[in-house]
Amino acid sequence: MSANLSPVQTDIDFEQEGKQVSFLRVPHSRNNSAWGKILIPITVVKQGDGPTVCLIGGNHGGEYEGVVTLLKLAKSLRPEEVHGRVIIIPALNLPAVVEGMRKSPIDGRDMNRSFPGLPHGTLSQVIAHYVHEAILPLCDAVLDIHSGGYSLDLAPYISMHYLADEAQMTATKEALHAFQAPYALIMEEFTGEGLLDYAVEGMGKVFLCAEIGGAGRLTPETLAIAERGTQNFLKHFGLINGEIVTCESLGQPPMALMEVPDPENYHMVTVNGIYESFYTLGESVTAGRPVGQVHMVQHPTMEPEVIYAQRSGILMGTRGPGYVEAGDCVALVASQWASKS
Ligand code: CA
């Protein structure tokens, strides 16, 4: 499949020098707009030869750090300060972003389960296909900025997957170190196929996913981490000049290297009720000890369901809203990164 099968149109010329601010125009025929399009903002800033990076926000709606960081960067970045090419898409799943919802309200799809996409599929699949065919092949590295959204609250971390290819693993780890969040995670995911992550990794490129904050909020602290990390990412690839701003240089503890190697690091509930976490994010938990419990509000005579830590480590993720349903994730525990390097 190639990009010229895509119905997505843009007047962006990816080879043009300078700064272009425009849209990906995705056809969306609807009752009140027969020839209507969804206009997904895109900014390309290019000067001379150098690497290409793509910065993505709003892959899920309801996750605001990436969207705001990239809206600000797209306004401020000038071609004369760039060595190479920066492609900025602040709200990849625009319909979800404007609704504040994880999934697209138009086709009900999770954008980050829609890759590599389909040229004539649903709206999310069409967007995914265009990105996969027209943008990812241009890139040396991709940074996808998430947060926990409405349902999860996450300690601010930058993450990568375990990769089979040694050179790709090394290059990705170097970018991970450069980002400088409070935590860095190397992880395995158990969420199924269709992630942007796998699409980029499958092309042999560097991919990082930032997970910064959540619970449907945007805070000054989490936004600052996203902005600093994005600048560091660009500096690491030589796209902009300047020294990497480390956590230590800001008087903070050094970035903690953690790992999430298997499903045991994720904790689910098996009943409906109100989740009471015994820890706040960043606290240490011990395998076999309770991390929280679910109060079954409809059944006052029943004892709460206790959730026991399956791993020792740091609580990296907890539930956003208090009410939970069976199958919801309520705790992510990250272990110390065994192979610290
Ligand atoms: Ca997300």
Side-chain angles (χ1 to χ4, degrees):
M1 272 190 289
S2 77
N4 57 25
L5 291 173
S6 176
V8 177
Q9 297 171 328
T10 185
D11 53 7
I12 293 278
D13 175 354
F14 289 98
E15 302 307 321
Q16 187 179 307
E17 298 285 311
K19 180 171 184 172
Q20 301 170 78
V21 182
S22 191
F23 301 99
L24 303 178
R25 296 195 284 271
V26 189
H28 179 46
S29 170
R30 50 202 191 267
N31 286 333
N32 59 1
S33 185
W35 297 341
K37 313 263 191 212
I38 300 284
L39 303 179
I40 299 176
I42 179 170
T43 296
V44 179
V45 186
K46 182 177 185 301
Q47 184 190 230
D49 296 327
T52 295
V53 305
C54 183
L55 309 173
I56 292 178
N59 188 338
H60 292 132
E63 306 183 5
Y64 301 104
E65 285 77 4
V67 179
V68 173
T69 294
L70 298 184
L71 284 173
K72 290 162 80 171
L73 180 69
K75 282 204 178 65
S76 65
L77 194 62
R78 293 173 294 117
E80 52 270 29
E81 60 185 328
V82 168
H83 314 286
R85 178 168 52 186
V86 183
I87 302 171
I88 306 170
I89 306 175
L92 180 66
N93 193 344
L94 183 72
V97 170
V98 298
E99 292 280 325
M101 291 166 53
R102 175 178 177 84
K103 293 161 70 168
S104 172
I106 292 172
D107 61 11
R109 288 194 66 95
D110 181 332
M111 175 67 74
N112 213 25
R113 305 289 181 275
S114 299
F115 284 85
L118 288 169
H120 303 296
T122 69
L123 191 89
S124 302
Q125 291 172 319
V126 169
I127 297 168
H129 172 264
Y130 182 83
V131 169
H132 190 268
E133 298 297 318
I135 295 179
L136 299 187
L138 305 174
C139 298
D140 299 285
V142 175
L143 171 64
D144 189 22
I145 310 174
H146 289 245
S147 75
Y150 170 74
S151 70
L152 290 170
D153 196 8
L154 301 173
Y157 65 79
I158 183 71
S159 69
M160 63 178 283
H161 294 135
Y162 300 95
L163 300 167
D165 183 276
E166 210 170 299
Q168 189 182 12
M169 178 89 170
T170 300
T172 306
K173 243 193 239 180
E174 286 171 358
L176 182 93
H177 280 277
F179 187 91
Q180 292 289 307
Y183 299 94
L185 257 62
I186 184 164
M187 63 197 306
E188 194 74 53
E189 301 202 55
F190 305 93
T191 51
E193 291 303 307
L195 276 71
L196 170 64
D197 316 37
Y198 303 149
V200 179
E201 290 163 0
M203 296 180 186
K205 301 162 188 293
V206 169
F207 181 87
L208 293 184
C209 175
E211 291 282 4
I212 297 172
R217 295 167 309 192
L218 177 67
T219 70
E221 293 77 17
T222 53
L223 183 61
I225 293 164
E227 291 186 325
R228 184 182 79 223
T230 302
Q231 294 283 333
N232 281 341
F233 187 79
L234 292 177
K235 291 172 187 170
H236 172 72
F237 287 99
L239 264 304
I240 58 172
N241 294 335
E243 293 286 306
I244 300 288
V245 177
T246 63
C247 296
E248 293 96 315
S249 72
L250 298 168
Q252 298 163 3
M255 186 165 72
L257 303 179
M258 311 295 296
E259 70 179 335
V260 175
D262 62 40
E264 303 287 294
N265 292 77
Y266 299 84
H267 298 73
M268 311 290 162
V269 296
T270 61
V271 294
N272 297 359
I274 297 168
Y275 182 65
E276 173 192 5
S277 179
F278 296 150
Y279 298 94
T280 54
L281 293 174
E283 286 192 309
S284 295
V285 302
T286 305
R289 302 280 300 275
V291 288
Q293 59 186 0
V294 181
H295 298 276
M296 285 169 269
V297 60
Q298 296 99 330
H299 305 286
T301 59
M302 293 177 73
E303 290 300 313
E305 181 184 82
V306 176
I307 310 301
Y308 294 93
Q310 298 161 161
R311 286 278 182 275
S312 293
I314 300 290
L315 185 71
M316 297 298 298
T318 187
R319 175 77 181 169
Y323 195 79
V324 295
E325 294 185 357
D328 285 341
C329 178
V330 292
L332 171 64
V333 175
S335 316
Q336 296 294 329
W337 190 336
S339 53
K340 279 192 190 179
S341 55

